[in-house]
Structure formats: C-alpha cells, structure tokens
C-alpha cells in the first residue's frame, strides 16, 4: 500500500532497465577495459624488470614498433634472467593481441546495436574516441532520461562532495560512486582538452556525417573548455583536478546534445 500511494502521487523515480543487447555490449566494453588494465600491468612488470637490471632504451616512446625491435635485441646477463625477460615480453604481446581482438569484436557488434547512433553522436566530440563513446552509451544509455545535467553528473559520480554547515561551504573530492566505467572513460577523454582547440582529420571525418547543429556544438565545447583548462592550471590547480572538472563539463555538453537530438539520444 505505501508503494501504491507513492506511485499514485508521483514520488517514485523510474529505474532504467537496460535491454539484453545493452547488457551484452556493456559486458564487451568492460572486458576490453579489463584487457587494457592487464596490458598495462604486464608492461609495468617488464619495465620494472629492465630497470632492476639497469637495461634502458635510448628511445623516447615506451611502446610501439621501435621499442619492440629494441626488446628483440636485449640480452640479459644470465640465462635464467633471460628466460624471465622472454616470458614478460610474451605476456605483453599476448595481452596486446587480446586487447586487439576485443576491440575488433566491439567494433563489429556495435554496428548491429540499437544505440549505435547515440555512440556516433558522442564520438563526434573531441576526446571521445569510439571505445569511450560506446562505453558511455552502454553504461548510461539514453541521456534524455536525466532531467538536468547535474543529475547526469551525479549519476557518474563527478560532483564534488560537500561538508557544509551554516554559511560555511566546503567542497571535497568526488565520491567516486555511480557509473565507474563511464566516469573513467570521460576522464580519459578529458585529457584531450589540455591542448588548444583544433579539429583533427579523424574528428573531421566523424563530424562529416553529423548534423550542422552538432558540428557547431562540437566546436564550441573544446573552445570553451580549453579556455577554462589553461587558466586553472596557471593558478596552480592540480592537473588531475582540472581534468575531472573538464570531464564534468563534457558530461553537460553530452546532455545538451542529447536534448537537441532526442531521436538519437
């Protein structure tokens, strides 16, 4: 009876229930994220092993064709250490292949997904590559179900915590609650706003298939966020704090685009 009275008065909030296909894409994005985390762990172990034995590369890049060629020429002091080194290199290659397989599978499965237009819309924003856009769509779904952008930010756990009393207002770190994977993808894409606003060739190709209104909004967002990023850093604010603020603003931009394009959002 109490639930019936609350439902009749409109005090109950509807819960978003993802469909089976949405859950499947979500599992695939999380598997790709796990593979990326495992790859970073294996790379860290290999670099730590080389550092312990004072084996250093003269190149600038950490991973890529050139460092891999250098690794093929490394010879450890003893046969036992060389066996360990080869196992670490093999683990890195296996995890890289696993990540590539999952990324390709994700790309193939998304083409038949009902929320593909939503992912393409978010893909058009700067700092929103395909995996980031798909992760946002799979974890959050339609942004139009949020009444305000602040509600979306709260769902993502991007709003700062508060310890206020009376006239005193004090804000702390973000609570790191809510959609962890979506928040991590947003923060990763927000690092792109460190550099001045520009439209790269891949971004031009992504914008070419979008409406003009979306193209205009995708340009206004990096210009506005870029102007905010640099002054904050110049005042001494820590870069990761500014990046989280940019991720919060990006969530608001995505919400605004979703409201303008309710058909695809």
């Amino acid at each position: 009876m109490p639930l019936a009275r609350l439902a009749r008065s409109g005090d109950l909030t509807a819960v978003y229930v993802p469909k089976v296909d949405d859950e499947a894409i979500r599992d695939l994005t999380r598997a790709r994220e796990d593979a990326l985390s495992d790859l970073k762990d294996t790379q860290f172990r290999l670099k730590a092993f080389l550092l312990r034995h004072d084996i250093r590369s003269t190149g600038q890049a950490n991973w890529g064709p050139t460092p891999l060629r250098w690794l093929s020429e490394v010879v450890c002091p003893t046969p036992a250490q060389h066996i360990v080194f080869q196992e670490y290199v093999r683990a890195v290659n296996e995890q890289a292949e696993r990540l590539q397989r999952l990324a390709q599978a994700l790309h193939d499965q998304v083409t038949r997904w009902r929320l593909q237009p939503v992912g393409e819309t978010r893909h058009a924003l700067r700092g929103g590559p395909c995996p980031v856009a798909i992760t946002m769509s799979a974890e959050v779904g339609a942004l139009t179900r949020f009444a305000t952008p602040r509600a979306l930010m709260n769902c993502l756990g991007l709003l700062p915590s508060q310890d206020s009393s009376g006239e005193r207002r004090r804000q702390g770190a973000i609570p790191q609650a809510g959609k962890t994977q979506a928040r991590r993808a947003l923060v990763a894409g927000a690092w792109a706003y460190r550099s001045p606003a520009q439209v790269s060739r891949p971004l031009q190709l992504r914008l070419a298939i979008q409406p003009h209104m979306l193209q205009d909004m995708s340009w206004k967002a990096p210009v506005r966020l870029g102007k905010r990023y640099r002054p904050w850093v110049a005042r001494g604010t820590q870069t990761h704090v500014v990046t989280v603020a940019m991720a919060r603003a990006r969530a608001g931009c995505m919400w605004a685009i979703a409201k303008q394009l309710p058909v695809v959002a």
Side-chain angles (χ1 to χ4, degrees):
M1 291 298 293
L3 290 178
R5 286 195 296 269
L6 290 174
R8 185 171 60 249
S9 62
D11 293 332
L12 293 180
T13 302
V15 177
Y16 170 70
V17 180
K19 296 184 178 181
V20 177
D21 293 341
D22 302 341
E23 288 281 2
I25 297 297
R26 181 183 298 178
D27 291 338
L28 196 53
T29 57
R30 292 181 179 181
R32 178 195 169 275
E33 186 178 2
D34 292 339
L36 180 60
S37 177
D38 293 341
L39 175 60
K40 292 180 179 179
D41 290 341
T42 54
Q43 290 175 343
F44 176 79
R45 296 189 191 102
L46 175 58
K47 293 172 67 174
F49 174 82
L50 295 175
L51 184 61
R52 286 200 306 270
H53 299 284
D54 198 24
I55 302 175
R56 305 173 185 271
S57 173
T58 58
Q60 298 295 327
N62 290 328
W63 302 104
T66 302
L68 290 178
R69 285 195 299 268
W70 173 78
L71 287 174
S72 63
E73 301 173 355
V74 172
V75 178
C76 295
T78 65
Q81 292 171 341
H82 195 71
I83 291 174
V84 175
F85 166 74
Q86 289 179 328
E87 289 298 326
Y88 279 144
V89 173
R90 185 177 295 109
V92 170
N93 293 331
E94 290 175 354
Q95 294 299 334
E97 293 174 359
R98 173 191 169 201
L99 178 61
Q100 186 176 5
R101 290 195 306 268
L102 287 172
Q104 183 61 41
L106 182 62
H107 182 271
D108 297 339
Q109 293 296 322
V110 166
T111 57
R112 300 186 293 271
W113 189 30
R114 69 180 184 90
L115 292 180
Q116 181 195 12
V118 180
E120 290 182 351
T121 302
R122 297 165 189 170
H123 190 199
L125 290 174
R126 187 186 185 190
C130 184
V132 173
I134 296 173
T135 300
M136 276 291 299
S137 300
E139 294 291 338
V140 182
L143 301 187
T144 52
R145 63 190 180 92
F146 296 98
T148 61
R150 189 175 182 84
L152 172 61
M153 299 171 189
N154 187 37
C155 176
L156 296 173
L158 288 172
L159 291 178
S161 59
Q162 288 198 22
D163 182 16
S164 302
S165 177
E167 297 181 356
R168 179 178 60 85
R169 181 173 179 268
R170 180 182 300 173
Q171 290 184 329
I174 59 175
Q176 297 187 6
K179 301 292 185 179
T180 304
Q181 287 78 13
R183 180 177 63 253
R184 189 180 297 117
L186 267 179
V187 173
W191 285 100
Y193 293 92
R194 293 178 297 174
S195 56
Q198 59 181 352
V199 180
S200 61
R201 180 57 179 170
L203 184 57
Q204 290 179 359
L205 297 177
R206 299 201 301 264
L207 287 172
I209 61 176
Q210 301 297 336
H212 291 290
M213 181 273 300
L214 177 59
Q215 296 182 21
D216 295 338
M217 295 185 69
S218 66
W219 172 247
K220 291 178 182 178
V223 171
R224 180 169 61 88
L225 297 184
K227 290 181 179 179
R228 295 175 60 187
Y229 191 102
R230 288 183 291 276
W232 281 356
V233 174
R235 289 199 300 264
T237 308
Q238 296 181 1
T239 55
H240 69 275
V241 175
V242 180
T243 304
V244 171
M246 295 297 102
R248 184 164 54 246
R250 288 186 71 230
C253 294
M254 290 182 178
W255 181 88
I257 291 176
K259 288 297 183 181
Q260 294 293 330
L261 300 174
V263 176
V264 299

